[in-house]
Amino acid sequence: MNAVGLDGGRLAGPLGTALAVAATVLAGVGVATQSRVNGELGQRFDDGFTAALVSFSSGWVLLLVIVLSTRRGRAAVRRIPAALRAGELPWWMLLGGAAGGFFVLSQGLVAGILGVAIFTVALVSGQTVTGMVADARGFAGARVTPPTLARLSGAALTVLAVAVAVAGELGGSIPWPALILPLLAGVGAGMQQAMNGRVRQVSGSPLAATLVNFTVGTAALLVVTVISLAVNGLPEQPPTEAYLYAGGAVGVVFIAIQAAAVARVGVLLLGMCLVLGQLMAAVVFDSVAAIGPALQPQTVAAVVLTAVGIVVATLDRWRRPRTVLATSPAPGSAGPTPRRP
């Protein structure tokens, strides 16, 4: 990831931004793929908690081997506790993995109930609103971008898309509590992207930042899964199909891309590009390999509405001069201080 400079370190200007956008759209395809795989894994286990832990911990093991097997990876990991001790990195910025764990848990619990498309539209709504707020505040060192009419309108369209997607379904084939999880997961995802991006800046490695993300998420999922197993008993016999265990590896790729690209494109545009990839893949999955309700016309309309929201929300990014950047917070400071480039 560093080799292509998604964070702007090696490729500057429009080319670097275009590369970051394309990679993030591809990462969005990975998010929908993971939702599809983990949704079926949760169904097959009949236990979303165990499915989430299996998925997340497999990604953690893979990352541990990749990062710690190289001198550069080990050096990047060592920079993180050093930054914590020096006050350059607040400890709470390491908690992005908890949001990632919750996201994977929501996949295992309700993606099979909602279908990948509706799950994705609900996720997007929370993610877009959070991304706008995070950009406006320069959260976790992200690019500071004030809310504009275009951004507010785009975010409103994505929220409206959720209502369109579930019109006539809530209380029927779709229980309304199932919709809350992806909405909350979207809120967490917007914060997670910013926090992982800050850890990447400190460590100098998107893979080291992703390892931190997976370590925290795996620990959180282990605790809640143990509690679930103590209450509900052991899950069904594990499925044997290898592809059902690929969710962790897919997550490693798309979280590393997010961590590398967020400093270049900002939290809101990052979320929008992820959404575009997610929606395209979600429609394909629900058309040819549905695990929940079949793809409905109102779901397609919601996908289109969300895509329009993406375009609207990013219009003035291409019209306006480069926005201000948030610098790293000084030791002991409350947060980042904006400066003019």
Side-chain angles (χ1 to χ4, degrees), residues 114 117-127 162 165 179-180 182-184 186:
L114 298 174
I118 292 179
F119 179 92
T120 300
V121 169
L123 176 75
V124 167
S125 181
Q127 190 173 343
V162 176
L179 198 63
I180 295 176
L183 284 168
L184 293 178

Side-chain angles (χ1 to χ4, degrees), residues 293-336:
L295 191 66
Q296 300 294 325
Q298 68 265 26
T299 306
V300 176
V303 168
V304 172
L305 194 58
T306 305
V308 171
I310 294 172
V311 174
V312 171
T314 57
L315 279 178
D316 49 14
R317 180 176 182 86
W318 309 110
R319 294 175 180 171
R320 295 162 64 93
R322 181 182 289 267
T323 52
V324 297
L325 299 177
T327 60
S328 305
S333 68

Side-chain angles (χ1 to χ4, degrees), residues 14 17 135-136 143-152 264 268-269 311-324 340-341:
T17 299
D135 277 354
R143 187 184 304 276
V144 177
T145 308
T148 62
L149 179 60
R151 284 174 162 249
L152 292 170
R264 160 69 69 173
L268 180 61
L269 183 56
V311 174
V312 171
T314 57
L315 279 178
D316 49 14
R317 180 176 182 86
W318 309 110
R319 294 175 180 171
R320 295 162 64 93
R322 181 182 289 267
T323 52
V324 297
R340 291 287 176 184

Side-chain angles (χ1 to χ4, degrees), residues 253-279:
V253 174
F254 72 68
I255 291 178
I257 290 175
Q258 292 175 42
V262 66
R264 160 69 69 173
V265 301
V267 178
L268 180 61
L269 183 56
L270 179 84
M272 293 293 191
C273 294
L274 284 170
V275 166
L276 181 60
Q278 288 176 66
L279 292 175

Side-chain angles (χ1 to χ4, degrees), residues 11-338:
L11 287 180
L15 179 59
T17 299
L19 180 61
V21 166
T24 307
V25 171
L26 183 61
V29 174
V31 175
T33 301
Q34 188 191 58
S35 295
R36 171 63 179 78
V37 170
N38 287 348
E40 183 175 350
L41 186 63
Q43 287 181 331
R44 299 287 292 276
F45 269 123
D46 195 24
D47 183 347
F49 290 92
T50 300
L53 179 61
V54 167
S55 174
F56 220 78
S57 61
S58 65
W60 175 73
V61 171
L62 177 62
L63 269 171
L64 199 63
V65 172
I66 293 173
V67 175
L68 299 186
S69 63
T70 67
R71 181 179 300 176
R72 184 175 180 179
R74 293 192 296 271
V77 170
R78 285 195 296 269
R79 282 193 287 269
I80 295 172
L84 288 170
R85 289 192 296 269
E88 299 174 4
L89 181 69
W91 65 268
W92 56 265
M93 287 195 186
L94 302 181
L95 300 181
F102 181 76
F103 168 56
V104 173
L105 178 60
S106 68
Q107 291 174 332
L109 290 173
V110 302
I113 297 173
L114 298 174
V116 178
I118 292 179
F119 179 92
T120 300
V121 169
L123 176 75
V124 167
S125 181
Q127 190 173 343
T128 302
V129 173
T130 304
M132 184 174 61
V133 173
D135 277 354
R137 297 182 62 85
F139 178 70
R143 187 184 304 276
V144 177
T145 308
T148 62
L149 179 60
R151 284 174 162 249
L152 292 170
S153 299
L157 285 172
T158 64
V159 174
L160 177 61
V162 176
V164 172
V166 299
E169 300 290 342
L170 286 182
S173 61
I174 298 178
W176 68 264
L179 198 63
I180 295 176
L181 285 181
L183 284 168
L184 293 178
V187 171
M191 299 175 64
Q192 176 194 22
Q193 291 154 7
M195 288 188 282
N196 287 350
R198 180 68 186 126
V199 177
R200 190 222 62 79
Q201 289 177 335
V202 168
S203 66
S205 168
L207 285 179
T210 308
L211 176 61
V212 171
N213 180 91
F214 271 76
T215 300
V216 173
T218 298
L221 284 171
L222 180 61
V223 171
V224 297
T225 302
V226 168
I227 294 173
S228 173
L229 292 177
V231 173
N232 301 317
L234 295 176
E236 297 291 331
Q237 183 176 351
T240 58
E241 294 89 339
Y243 76 90
L244 292 176
Y245 300 95
V250 173
V252 167
V253 174
F254 72 68
I255 291 178
I257 290 175
Q258 292 175 42
V262 66
R264 160 69 69 173
V265 301
V267 178
L268 180 61
L269 183 56
L270 179 84
M272 293 293 191
C273 294
L274 284 170
V275 166
L276 181 60
Q278 288 176 66
L279 292 175
M280 292 188 301
V283 169
V284 172
F285 285 133
D286 279 0
S287 298
V288 302
I291 56 173
L295 191 66
Q296 300 294 325
Q298 68 265 26
T299 306
V300 176
V303 168
V304 172
L305 194 58
T306 305
V308 171
I310 294 172
V311 174
V312 171
T314 57
L315 279 178
D316 49 14
R317 180 176 182 86
W318 309 110
R319 294 175 180 171
R320 295 162 64 93
R322 181 182 289 267
T323 52
V324 297
L325 299 177
T327 60
S328 305
S333 68
T337 302

